[in-house]
Amino acid sequence: MGVRCHVMKVESFEDEEVAELLNDSFVSVKVDREERPDVDKVYMTFVQALYGGGGWPLSVFISPDLKPLMGGTYFPPDDKYGRPGFKTILRKVKDAWFSKRDTLVKSGAFAIEQLSEALSASASSKKLPDELSQNALHLCAEQLSQSYDSRYGGFGSAPKFPRPVEIQLMLYHSKKLNDAGNYSEAKKGLQMVFFTLQCMARGGIHDHIGVPHFEKMLYDQGQLANVYLDAFSITNDVFYSSLSRDILDYLRRDIIGPEGEIFSAEDADSAEREGAKKKKEGAFYIWTIQEIDDILGEHSTLFKDHYYVKPLGNCDLSRMSDPHDEFKGKNVLIELTDTSAPAKKYGLPLEKYLDILGECRQKLFDARSRGPRPHLDDKVIVSWNGLAISSLARASKILMGEAEGTKYNFPVVGCDPKEYMTAAEKAASFIRRHLYNEQAHRLEHSFRNGPSKAPGFLDDYAFLISGLLDLYEVGGGIHWLVWAIELQNKQDELFLDREGGGYFNTPGEDPSVLLRVKEDHDGAEPSGNSVSAINLIRLASMMTGSKSEYYRQNAEHLLAVFESRLKDMAMAVPLMCCAADMISVPSHKQVVLVGHKSSLEFDNMLAAAHASYDPNRTVIHIDPTDNEEMEIWEDNNSNIALMARNNFAADKVVALVCQNFTCSPPVTDPKSLKALLLKKPS
């Protein structure tokens, strides 16, 4: 899709004849879908409903009162590929507007009416049938397994875009199978995930010289870092932890602003050299064999061998690798073999071989840094920051599980995991300062030289709440949890359909946005409803009494809205399938840590609490000598306050693991806590 946006821009929007046709009969409006996802959603939904498919670039013709008349995705400038050209379309729309305007406008209005009805689905019951809660997860895992690509990894057919929700579902499902003693099936699911993650890491989608991917969207980075962290917490394999570091170090190095705000993307295109007028797809990331020889000297042959570098360019692995011949004579670095085989071939110990590769990558990185960089999109989008805050925060504790003395080679810096926590807190503080109205408790959607005019949308609230819950659970201050609760209350006020269940994507206050949709599709980004369902379940597991009940009922009602999706199209909603299972878990595991928080012991106990993979676990930490904190827990869950009082020891950190209203005997060292959390459920 990214390629087609790029192609249509060059072919049509920079063409004088097209410009003349547009200026003669149309008022052209360009909408940035990242800034106004609500506007994009209206017209994308129209195109999908009418033509059975969607995507970007999106071209829609609308009447002066904003009703859609017709639209489509990519149009070539002239008629070809069996598709009408953009010029033909412009002429036909102009003719139709003057010859049958009434019919056009009526059909547009009717389409919006029908869509409005279809997309604001209500639930007939307040909760899902019990069997569906558990079956949806299994159904989705089965469908994904059938679409698994055992040759190249991933699910579905080419071209594949990263969709981390699929990996999240497969990991969650494998954990359930493992807990139930179905080890061989659990292992099969994990193998699919690990092979997929390895293929992504070794392939051309990962730029091996220091950043994750040609078109570096923040929503990808936040989610991918998280699934690599999950893979590490399951395997303890540094291959996965170093990849999460690779992504998060890239964020810290290249796209975090001066106040900790995280920018939204870097372009795929860049100039090949200083002063070049034209930008080219991937120019910053690709190499000629000559460049590699000149920069690397004696190690050039070893490096070229390792990364499949060829004299005429290496985009020859499939017809899909370079459909527009943009990389002719150039190389996209890609690893086709495991590292141990080439190390043996060169007669080098593995560690020495990895050192050489690391030095080579550093040299190429330095050389590349002197050339023109891709354009940085310095918009700050709240929802995407939420996803990144989550992975930065989680990394700060999960990466403490790496073996002492773990060695990295460039591009992984190997910083102290605490630095990731600092980055997460700074990003959250930036949003609080610049994009949150303390009086009205409302978020704005984005920031660039000041807040945008767009209000916060459902995804902004849901993804940020999720990030704040992670920030709190890994050891952030109680104020992050308090803010998450505050935001959840406001989200309910602005977006919740109290009668029908579930959340609309917009507050519904802008009459120019014609559709208010209840979004459920978990695509490249998860849907706001899926993330909200999980947030509500997490909040319910932290609270007691009516507060807990309120969150739980909203989650149940929300899932009931999407019953037919969970039953008939589970693969479209992997994260919602996880939520449906989570709500059927009778009682979440609670890890309660009691003690002074400024100590190293406390950090080590937090790391132990997060060391193993378990999405149905909640971590609560409390210092009984902190009055403000005790008051907050008295108000939300007095059991926690009581537990803290009864188990406080001035000189150590005490951990309790509670489930089904019973708690383990207290433990006071990380090893015992890890062992306790790895115990199979009875």
Side-chain angles (χ1 to χ4, degrees):
M1 285 188 246
V3 170
R4 286 187 155 178
C5 291
H6 162 76
V7 171
M8 195 167 171
K9 180 183 124 188
V10 173
E11 288 180 342
S12 290
F13 301 132
E14 292 174 4
D15 178 282
E16 289 192 10
E17 196 185 337
V18 172
E20 205 172 304
L21 282 166
L22 278 168
N23 293 338
D24 174 45
S25 310
F26 300 88
V27 176
S28 301
V29 179
K30 186 180 179 193
V31 177
D32 181 338
R33 77 179 181 94
E34 290 162 14
E35 250 175 64
R36 292 306 304 244
D38 53 337
V39 174
D40 174 72
K41 185 75 201 167
V42 172
Y43 301 108
M44 178 58 78
T45 305
F46 166 77
V47 166
Q48 282 169 328
L50 219 59
Y51 306 105
W56 296 275
L58 177 67
S59 304
V60 180
F61 298 89
I62 64 178
S63 65
D65 65 351
L66 310 179
K67 301 291 190 295
L69 310 172
M70 70 145 289
T73 56
Y74 167 73
F75 296 110
D78 300 295
D79 303 357
K80 62 175 175 180
Y81 314 132
R83 313 177 67 121
F86 197 51
K87 294 171 192 165
T88 305
I89 295 278
L90 293 173
R91 291 185 184 105
K92 286 197 163 160
V93 171
K94 178 187 172 180
D95 291 347
W97 181 250
F98 289 112
S99 62
K100 43 184 177 194
R101 181 178 311 186
D102 285 356
T103 316
L104 269 183
V105 172
K106 267 188 195 136
S107 71
F110 180 69
I112 286 291
E113 216 171 282
Q114 295 295 298
L115 286 170
S116 190
E117 222 163 278
L119 294 168
S120 57
S122 290
S124 51
S125 120
K126 292 279 184 185
K127 61 181 290 203
L128 284 175
D130 287 346
E131 68 281 2
L132 182 59
S133 278
Q134 281 139 39
N135 288 354
L137 181 76
H138 182 64
L139 190 64
C140 187
E142 217 167 60
Q143 290 172 354
L144 284 171
S145 301
Q146 283 163 5
S147 77
Y148 173 64
D149 179 347
S150 57
R151 186 173 175 196
Y152 296 114
F155 303 93
S157 55
K160 298 188 197 92
F161 287 81
R163 192 180 169 220
V165 288
E166 296 169 332
I167 295 193
Q168 283 176 278
L169 178 121
M170 294 301 283
L171 290 177
Y172 185 103
H173 185 243
S174 297
K175 167 94 170 104
K176 292 286 287 192
L177 290 171
N178 199 50
D179 287 349
N182 192 342
Y183 304 121
S184 65
E185 282 304 305
K187 195 175 172 189
K188 267 189 219 161
L190 286 178
Q191 279 167 341
M192 290 181 201
V193 166
F194 297 150
F195 184 62
T196 296
L197 291 175
Q198 287 162 21
C199 287
M200 275 171 27
R202 296 202 161 109
I205 192 174
H206 175 200
D207 167 34
H208 297 265
I209 308 296
V211 287
H213 165 41
F214 283 12
E215 192 167 355
K216 294 173 300 302
M217 310 300 294
L218 182 57
Y219 62 78
D220 280 334
Q221 310 318 336
Q223 293 179 89
L224 288 170
N226 256 336
V227 292
Y228 278 107
L229 286 168
D230 288 338
F232 171 69
S233 65
I234 293 165
T235 60
N236 267 4
D237 184 339
V238 175
F239 174 80
Y240 300 110
S241 65
S242 67
L243 278 150
S244 19
R245 283 179 176 275
D246 184 13
I247 295 169
L248 299 175
D249 286 353
Y250 157 69
L251 296 187
R252 290 172 63 238
R253 184 181 64 232
D254 289 339
I255 68 167
I256 288 187
E259 291 183 65
E261 69 276 32
I262 311 177
F263 299 135
S264 63
E266 277 193 298
D267 274 6
D269 309 356
S270 57
E272 286 188 287
R273 61 196 157 273
E274 272 323 332
K277 287 269 192 302
K278 260 192 156 24
K279 289 183 175 184
K280 288 191 78 173
E281 175 100 8
F284 189 69
Y285 308 101
I286 50 182
W287 304 89
T288 63
I289 201 157
Q290 190 63 54
E291 286 170 328
I292 287 175
D293 286 341
D294 291 350
I295 296 163
L296 299 184
E298 59 167 328
H299 295 311
S300 167
T301 306
L302 176 149
F303 187 87
K304 288 186 299 195
D305 235 10
H306 185 87
Y307 286 110
Y308 188 64
V309 173
K310 300 168 78 179
L312 300 175
N314 69 355
C315 288
D316 56 1
L317 291 168
S318 104
R319 283 182 309 108
M320 302 289 288
S321 289
D322 185 21
H324 298 281
D325 275 344
E326 295 193 83
F327 302 147
K328 218 176 182 166
K330 302 285 176 78
N331 292 274
V332 175
L333 301 185
I334 182 170
E335 292 180 294
L336 295 179
T337 51
D338 197 277
T339 334
S340 45
K344 203 178 262 175
K345 174 184 162 184
Y346 283 92
L348 292 166
L350 185 58
E351 198 163 314
K352 177 68 181 157
Y353 182 78
L354 292 172
D355 281 347
I356 292 169
L357 284 179
E359 285 163 27
C360 291
R361 287 195 298 264
Q362 177 79 65
K363 282 180 181 170
L364 291 172
F365 177 86
D366 293 341
R368 183 171 78 178
S369 300
R370 294 190 282 273
R373 279 195 74 89
H375 170 72
L376 173 68
D377 182 346
D378 58 359
K379 273 198 308 294
V380 180
I381 295 173
V382 171
S383 54
W384 299 1
N385 269 253
L387 294 169
I389 287 165
S390 165
S391 56
L392 284 160
R394 292 179 74 238
S396 74
K397 289 302 172 289
I398 292 172
L399 295 178
M400 284 173 72
E402 289 172 324
E404 220 169 294
T406 296
K407 187 168 184 266
Y408 306 103
N409 286 289
F410 187 80
V412 177
V413 177
C415 69
D416 184 328
K418 280 195 191 74
E419 293 184 33
Y420 295 126
M421 186 64 168
T422 306
E425 296 205 290
K426 281 179 85 168
S429 299
F430 179 89
I431 293 170
R432 179 122 206 184
R433 260 195 325 279
H434 294 284
L435 287 160
Y436 184 60
N437 180 323
E438 295 277 357
Q439 280 69 47
H441 294 179
R442 289 184 73 147
L443 288 167
E444 306 291 338
H445 171 63
S446 65
F447 181 97
R448 188 171 184 276
N449 304 326
S452 68
K453 291 196 170 61
F457 302 113
L458 174 62
D459 290 4
D460 296 310
Y461 286 82
F463 297 7
L464 180 58
I465 291 165
S466 177
L468 293 173
L469 292 176
D470 284 332
L471 196 44
Y472 167 71
E473 285 200 41
V474 300
I478 188 97
H479 59 282
W480 298 124
L481 175 59
V482 172
W483 191 25
I485 294 167
E486 207 172 275
L487 286 169
Q488 187 63 58
N489 293 341
K490 185 50 72 171
Q491 180 186 313
D492 293 353
E493 187 188 309
L494 293 172
F495 305 97
L496 182 64
D497 180 353
R498 291 185 191 275
E499 287 302 301
Y503 293 97
F504 290 107
N505 63 337
T506 61
E509 296 160 336
D510 183 346
S512 69
V513 179
L514 306 180
L515 280 184
R516 223 180 157 206
V517 176
K518 286 184 192 169
E519 178 71 77
D520 62 357
H521 180 67
D522 295 317
E525 294 173 63
S527 86
N529 271 301
S530 299
V531 175
S532 294
I534 293 172
N535 290 344
L536 291 166
I537 295 163
R538 290 174 75 180
L539 285 164
S541 72
M542 288 183 174
M543 312 289 161
T544 47
S546 60
K547 288 184 178 180
S548 177
E549 204 44 43
Y550 168 78
Y551 292 132
R552 191 179 172 79
Q553 282 170 357
N554 278 349
E556 285 178 338
H557 199 183
L558 181 162
L559 290 164
V561 173
F562 303 108
E563 181 178 340
S564 61
R565 279 293 250 187
L566 289 162
K567 205 163 39 194
D568 307 332
M569 288 190 72
M571 203 165 131
V573 290
L575 199 62
M576 199 170 281
C577 292
C578 294
D581 183 84
M582 278 180 185
I583 208 145
S584 72
V585 173
S587 160
H588 275 233
K589 193 179 281 179
Q590 269 186 352
V591 183
V592 183
L593 301 179
V594 182
H596 294 307
K597 296 191 182 181
S598 52
S599 62
L600 179 62
E601 288 80 8
F602 204 88
D603 256 12
N604 290 335
M605 288 294 265
L606 271 166
H610 290 280
S612 54
Y613 171 80
D614 186 357
N616 283 310
R617 174 189 55 215
T618 301
V619 178
I620 290 169
H621 43 88
I622 182 165
D623 179 349
T625 64
D626 183 326
N627 293 336
E628 184 199 359
E629 206 173 357
M630 286 296 277
E631 262 174 52
I632 289 163
W633 285 112
E634 285 288 5
D635 190 33
N636 289 293
N637 186 339
S638 55
N639 299 344
I640 299 288
L642 184 64
M643 220 184 287
R645 262 191 225 101
N646 293 346
N647 289 282
F648 180 62
D651 56 343
K652 48 183 177 267
V653 182
V654 178
L656 301 110
V657 178
C658 308
Q659 199 164 13
N660 294 323
F661 308 107
T662 55
C663 293
S664 65
V667 294
T668 56
D669 69 291
K671 257 202 186 118
S672 309
L673 177 56
K674 275 186 196 171
L676 201 51
L677 290 170
L678 285 170
K679 261 176 74 174
K680 287 270 176 290
S682 52

